[in-house]
Amino acid sequence: MSTFAKTGRNIICIGRNYVAHVHELNNKVPKEPFYFLKPTSSYIEAGQGPIEVPQGINCHHEVELGVVIGKGGRDIPESQALDHVAGYTLSIDVTGRNWQEELKKKGLPWAPAKGFDTWAAVGPFIEKSKLPSIDQIGLWLKINGETKQDGMCSDMIFKVPKLIEHVSSIMTLSEGDLIMTGTPSGVGPMQPSDKIQVGLTYGADKKEVCKLDWSVEARKGGYVYQAK
């Protein structure tokens, strides 16, 4: 397993950071970044096993750029934020969409709808020097060979330095922490037996930097979701 997945204290997930994704879920464009946390027990790397779909849960895929913190800090200014980045990873933030929507309507925290085992799928660590311009990073996701998501990090509402400044103004960042930076449009359901493939590209010619595969399986046992 990658070092950051073994030692990082936090998985910090930025919400609603691409306008098209905000609109597809009928949400409002945020005026400042916001985030939620996933437990580090959610980590799974390609080759370690399938992404699991718990009983009764409508699981949605969200491909994202993961930013790995290399130097911790508090109140990090935007101008110095990239000095705290060690590198990047390709990731999938899995969401229990039906449970999340129910919890949101009730005004309750929706951490459970983000925190199942295998719901922070990540790839290998990518050195920062290999991706010198974040705006030139592309992300895509396919299900059973069909493209579902295809976007550029240049479309982020809040860029990575701003995210680091904002998060570190609230909580101290530590070496190995992962910031998932939000997802492009095209999110949708994953079903047991689906084959998921995600990719990270770089530059105008979309040179392939990383490509990963996961299978999707029904979880055996555990929590069973039933709408209340």
Side-chain angles (χ1 to χ4, degrees), residues 84-124:
H84 290 256
V85 174
Y88 306 98
T89 192
L90 179 58
S91 62
I92 306 174
D93 169 19
V94 181
T95 302
R97 190 69 70 196
N98 52 343
W99 197 10
Q100 182 194 41
E101 291 301 321
E102 179 184 323
L103 292 169
K104 285 166 62 176
K105 288 177 182 177
K106 294 179 178 179
L108 298 172
W110 32 274
K114 287 282 191 175
F116 280 93
D117 291 351
T118 77
W119 280 19
V122 296

Side-chain angles (χ1 to χ4, degrees), residues 73-85:
R74 182 185 185 201
D75 297 335
I76 300 167
E78 186 174 350
S79 61
Q80 300 174 21
L82 292 182
D83 294 338
H84 290 256
V85 174

